[in-house]
Amino acid sequence: MAAKKVLIVYAHQSAGSFSAAAKDAAVKALTAQDCTVEVSDLYAMKFKATATAEDITGEVKNADHFRYAEETKLAWEEGKLCADITEEQRKLTQADLVIFQFPMYWFTVPAIMKGWIDRVLTLGYAYSQEKRYSQGVFKDKKAMLSFTTGSPESMFSANGINGDMNVTLWPLQNGILHYCGFQVLAPQIFWAPSYIPHEARSTMLEGWCQRLQGLLGEKPLSFTPLDCFDEEGYQLKPEVCEKHATKEYGLTVGIHLGKALPPNSQMKAGV
């Protein structure tokens, strides 16, 4: 296998955290496989999380009604995005695999990582009306979430008080990663490491290290291809609906056709 380039977008304040240990394990394991690994340590970088006009060098097109997506698209085309965005886009352009390593905050990524997503994945560069989902800009790249939770796995079950983790993951994995075209690998979830014994945390890390040995060859999660939808209202084509009319489960978590959700479709490949 040819040497790959990996970008780890990392968000934790403490070098002594489990998230830091998971990040370090990935760097070590992937480097040992002759990968080139870059880490964007967002807190250490003091990465700006807010999407504002300051992200553009020089004059904006419409200061009276500033629209971030349109203005940054123009700035990207004209080479006028600010230096920190340009640098992160350079890393992302070169990467074959992107790993987002973070502690889950309020059922999603920390604000500083959401800021990276908002500011780096600009219109034109990362997506467009024509290039999204299965036809997206990054369709030849892989991406995945690797994160810790504050609650045990049982609380994120279909019967648990936090609800099904597959539902929680849908906006992140479908609405951000797959939207930009990424082949999304199954997430690496470290369930409530703060509440388990040291030995159990070590076992978690060992499991991650083992997975990292074959990570680059993993098959991605399944999403409904763009050509299953019509081009006017982006509704499922009648023949697709007919094909699945007698199926027990919906297509995906979000495109469920009013049926039961396909089990673990956002957590395991091949489901």
Side-chain angles (χ1 to χ4, degrees):
M1 184 180 293
K4 299 288 187 178
K5 293 189 176 181
V6 180
L7 172 62
I8 300 177
V9 184
Y10 166 67
H12 200 289
Q13 307 89 333
S14 174
S17 65
F18 188 92
S19 291
K23 176 259 297 178
D24 291 342
V27 171
K28 182 178 180 181
L30 293 168
T31 301
Q33 297 175 54
D34 294 326
C35 293
T36 301
V37 183
E38 285 197 89
V39 177
S40 289
D41 185 340
L42 301 183
Y43 285 106
M45 294 159 61
K46 295 182 168 55
F47 190 82
K48 176 176 171 283
T50 52
T52 65
E54 285 72 40
D55 293 345
I56 297 163
T57 303
E59 296 294 317
V60 299
K61 184 179 180 183
N62 188 344
D64 294 329
H65 181 197
F66 179 74
R67 296 189 298 171
Y68 190 82
E70 289 75 9
E71 293 280 3
T72 51
K73 179 177 184 291
L74 286 173
W76 170 70
E77 291 170 344
E78 297 171 3
K80 293 182 178 179
L81 286 172
C82 63
D84 64 338
I85 294 177
T86 301
E87 174 63 5
E88 294 307 299
Q89 289 184 344
R90 176 197 66 78
K91 297 175 189 175
L92 180 52
T93 297
Q94 293 181 353
D96 300 297
L97 168 66
V98 185
I99 300 174
F100 293 87
Q101 183 67 58
F102 60 96
M104 181 169 272
Y105 282 12
W106 295 109
F107 290 55
T108 188
V109 297
I112 198 167
M113 184 171 281
K114 183 56 164 59
W116 189 96
I117 291 165
D118 290 347
R119 297 179 65 232
V120 177
L121 302 181
T122 55
L123 175 61
Y125 168 71
Y127 68 96
S128 67
Q129 183 81 15
E130 298 77 26
K131 294 183 177 181
R132 50 183 172 166
Y133 291 117
S134 59
Q135 299 301 317
V137 172
F138 300 136
K139 63 181 185 295
D140 295 324
K141 300 181 186 292
K142 292 181 178 180
M144 67 172 294
L145 307 178
S146 175
F147 60 94
T148 61
T149 67
S151 302
E153 184 174 8
S154 59
M155 290 176 66
F156 278 104
S157 67
N159 295 328
I161 193 168
N162 290 343
D164 188 341
M165 178 59 88
N166 291 278
V167 176
T168 298
L169 290 170
W170 177 255
L172 294 170
Q173 295 188 156
N174 180 74
I176 298 172
L177 300 182
H178 178 54
Y179 189 90
C180 293
F182 284 110
Q183 299 173 47
V184 186
L185 300 183
Q188 181 71 26
I189 307 176
F190 302 104
W191 301 102
S194 295
Y195 299 98
I196 60 176
H198 174 75
E199 293 76 13
R201 288 196 295 274
S202 296
T203 300
M204 274 186 175
L205 272 181
E206 288 168 12
W208 176 223
C209 289
Q210 289 173 9
R211 184 183 176 191
L212 284 161
Q213 301 307 312
L215 189 66
L216 294 166
E218 284 188 9
K219 300 293 185 185
L221 300 175
S222 298
F223 294 90
T224 308
L226 196 61
D227 60 11
C228 288
F229 301 86
D230 64 46
E231 294 181 5
E232 294 179 9
Y234 289 100
Q235 301 294 297
L236 277 176
K237 293 176 179 177
E239 58 268 29
V240 178
C241 292
E242 288 173 19
K243 181 180 177 182
H244 289 273
T246 59
K247 300 286 180 69
E248 182 180 0
Y249 300 112
L251 287 167
T252 58
V253 169
I255 306 158
H256 51 67
L257 305 172
K259 299 174 181 286
L261 305 187
N264 290 321
S265 64
Q266 289 296 294
M267 294 171 70
K268 292 181 180 179
V271 175

